[in-house]
Amino acid sequence: MAEKVIRVDDIDGSEGADVAKRDFEVLGRTFTIDLSDDNFKRLNEMLDALAPFIENAAEVKPAGKGRKSRTAKIKGYTNGDVRAWALRSNIEVSERGKISDEVYAAFIEAHPDAKPDA
């Protein structure tokens, strides 16, 4: 028993001996589609027309979560050190999040060895 495979053009639904599985690349990704010779020619013409736009464009990456800095604004001490000192000194400081510039300034004043980052 024989089987016959009939390829159908994915764009216009036509059948024919020239319809074949065609691979093409866009932005480093490979795609495949069943196309006739004419539609494959049209695809390549469109890709050629898009090439200068893609080559001169900048990729826009989706926004992601920003990386939180876990280091203090001063060398030799961590944010945890600054918070612990502030609590011992009865200076109001949040348990998490940004430490105010005033708290950093007071810490640096109390710790002459603290070196502000440039």
Side-chain angles (χ1 to χ4, degrees):
M1 181 161 128
E3 290 184 25
K4 184 175 182 181
V5 176
I6 301 173
R7 292 219 185 258
V8 177
D9 188 299
D10 290 332
I11 298 300
D12 62 19
S14 65
E15 299 175 9
D18 67 332
V19 176
K21 187 171 290 294
R22 315 289 180 136
D23 293 344
F24 64 97
E25 188 175 316
V26 176
L27 299 174
R29 295 175 58 196
T30 302
F31 298 86
T32 191
I33 189 170
D34 291 339
L35 292 176
S36 65
D37 289 342
D38 287 342
N39 280 335
F40 189 56
K41 180 180 174 190
R42 286 180 47 214
L43 171 63
N44 284 317
E45 289 169 354
M46 287 184 222
L47 292 173
D48 290 344
L50 280 175
F53 296 96
I54 293 170
E55 289 169 8
N56 289 291
E59 183 178 357
V60 177
K61 299 196 178 190
K65 293 183 180 181
R67 184 173 166 222
K68 292 184 180 179
S69 174
R70 296 197 179 268
T71 59
K73 290 184 180 181
I74 48 181
K75 290 183 182 175
Y77 293 93
T78 66
N79 285 340
D81 295 334
V82 174
R83 283 192 170 86
W85 170 83
L87 292 172
R88 285 193 310 272
S89 303
N90 294 320
I91 297 173
E92 190 175 326
V93 64
S94 64
E95 288 183 30
R96 295 172 38 151
K98 186 178 184 297
I99 297 174
S100 72
D101 292 337
E102 293 80 17
V103 173
Y104 279 118
F107 183 87
I108 291 167
E109 191 173 313
H111 297 82
D113 62 326
K115 299 175 185 135
D117 281 343

